Amino acid sequence: MGKTRLGINIDHVATVRNARGENYPSPLKAALLSQKYGADSITIHLREDRRHIIDQDLIEIRKKLKIPLNLEMAPTKQMLKIALKYKPAFVCIVPEKRKEITTEGGLNLKKNSNFLKKIINGLKSKRIRTSLFIEPNLKSVLHAKNLGAECIEIHTGKICNLINKRKKYSKEFKKILNSVNFANDLGIDVHAGHGITFESAKILSKIKGIKEFNIGHFLIGESIFVGIKYCIKKFKKIIK
Ligand code: PXP
């Protein structure tokens, strides 16, 4: 098995920029620095309300980045059109609610089956690696397989929250472990993300079948104090 990849989510740089309506700090600069310091991919979430990443960020980053760009997007016709136009290397399909602060849970695969199948096939035909962001349970893994997904990203928000609050997390850990093993048995690549800190990365990286971690909020926040280079190197060391 190859080394575990680290994807860096830079939406939070755009959030800070947008808070003042200025053109800094630059998400492009964050993407290029992350690339320089060892990120394996860059994640951006182009939300329907464009509250952090905007279309111009996508265009610039897509043009200048050498490592793969992972576009997170809601399963909508408009987003599919954008993905097919700019052809990022990777797409991660996520649920989206206007009022949420961040992506609150995994996709409802049952409700969206037909459209998800259409999106997956459309992206596959352009050789865009597509993952579905799901909750850690066997039913969702099987559903993702039946939809033709080659990859899933497991929502780690719950376990990370438990770890942060010093609560028991073994039940949630087991759920993730079982989902990862089941997905690997079905031939699906497994990624993980949401709410990951240095501490939760250490715990989650004990699960061997996770090929990629996507990390943003904590990493960008911590970079204020210790720098993005230090944070990336530390995460890489933890997950390797
Ligand atoms: N993966 C997915 C699919 C996400 O939606 C997010 C949050 O945008 C992340 C990873 C990164 O989460 P965080 O910013 O909490 O590290």
Side-chain angles (χ1 to χ4, degrees):
M1 190 177 278
K3 72 178 173 67
T4 313
R5 297 187 300 269
L6 173 65
I8 310 239
N9 182 321
I10 56 159
D11 294 346
H12 314 286
V13 175
T15 305
V16 175
R17 175 194 62 191
N18 297 358
R20 286 284 291 266
E22 292 290 350
N23 57 2
Y24 64 85
S26 155
L28 173 64
K29 189 171 172 183
L32 296 178
L33 275 178
S34 300
Q35 171 178 275
K36 182 172 168 190
Y37 296 132
D40 297 295
S41 55
I42 297 295
T43 296
I44 55 173
H45 184 175
L46 188 69
R47 281 184 170 267
E48 290 180 281
D49 61 8
R50 309 300 197 263
R51 79 164 86 127
H52 35 61
I53 292 294
I54 56 172
D55 298 64
Q56 192 56 30
D57 296 322
L58 163 63
I59 293 166
E60 284 177 9
I61 293 169
R62 175 71 184 88
K63 205 161 130 194
K64 303 224 166 111
L65 196 72
K66 300 274 191 316
I67 55 175
L69 176 64
N70 177 33
L71 177 67
E72 273 181 26
M73 58 174 229
T76 67
K77 273 187 194 155
Q78 190 216 19
M79 286 298 158
L80 177 62
K81 212 168 142 193
I82 290 174
L84 293 174
K85 179 169 178 194
Y86 295 107
K87 297 190 188 70
F90 309 153
V91 161
C92 179
I93 303 174
V94 299
E96 206 171 287
K97 291 188 214 126
R98 283 286 157 101
K99 286 196 178 140
E100 68 190 1
I101 294 173
T102 181
T103 316
E104 281 169 355
L107 286 160
N108 183 340
L109 301 179
K110 211 169 165 189
K111 192 171 145 211
N112 291 311
S113 272
N114 287 338
F115 194 57
L116 283 171
K117 229 183 229 174
K118 202 174 148 193
I119 292 191
I120 292 170
N121 287 335
L123 295 171
K124 254 189 195 170
S125 72
K126 297 286 175 206
R127 295 208 185 92
I128 297 171
R129 187 203 75 180
T130 307
S131 61
L132 299 178
F133 193 40
I134 64 166
E135 289 295 319
N137 60 62
L138 304 188
K139 215 168 150 189
S140 295
V141 174
L142 187 60
H143 212 133
K145 172 75 180 172
N146 291 338
L147 291 174
E150 296 155 300
C151 302
I152 52 168
E153 179 160 329
I154 291 189
H155 195 307
T156 53
K158 193 165 173 195
I159 190 169
C160 291
N161 198 269
L162 292 170
I163 294 166
N164 283 346
K165 292 190 170 142
R166 307 265 168 255
K167 289 187 177 164
K168 285 189 186 139
Y169 60 82
S170 59
K171 215 168 131 194
E172 194 61 22
F173 183 87
K174 215 171 225 166
K175 268 195 196 171
I176 297 176
L177 176 66
N178 290 341
S179 302
V180 172
N181 289 339
F182 185 44
N184 284 168
D185 287 347
L186 294 174
I188 300 177
D189 265 12
V190 181
H191 312 153
H194 212 283
I196 296 176
T197 62
F198 292 140
E199 195 182 356
S200 40
K202 264 182 215 156
I203 292 165
L204 287 164
S205 56
K206 288 185 188 138
I207 301 175
K208 291 299 162 225
I210 300 176
K211 285 202 172 157
E212 181 178 298
F213 285 97
N214 287 303
I215 305 175
H217 189 249
F218 175 84
L219 189 151
I220 298 296
E222 199 62 13
S223 297
I224 296 169
F225 307 114
V226 295
I228 199 165
K229 179 178 176 183
Y230 174 85
C231 283
I232 292 173
K233 302 266 177 218
K234 186 158 171 177
F235 267 120
K236 286 214 69 153
K237 212 164 150 191
I238 293 171
I239 66 165
K240 78 169 191 272

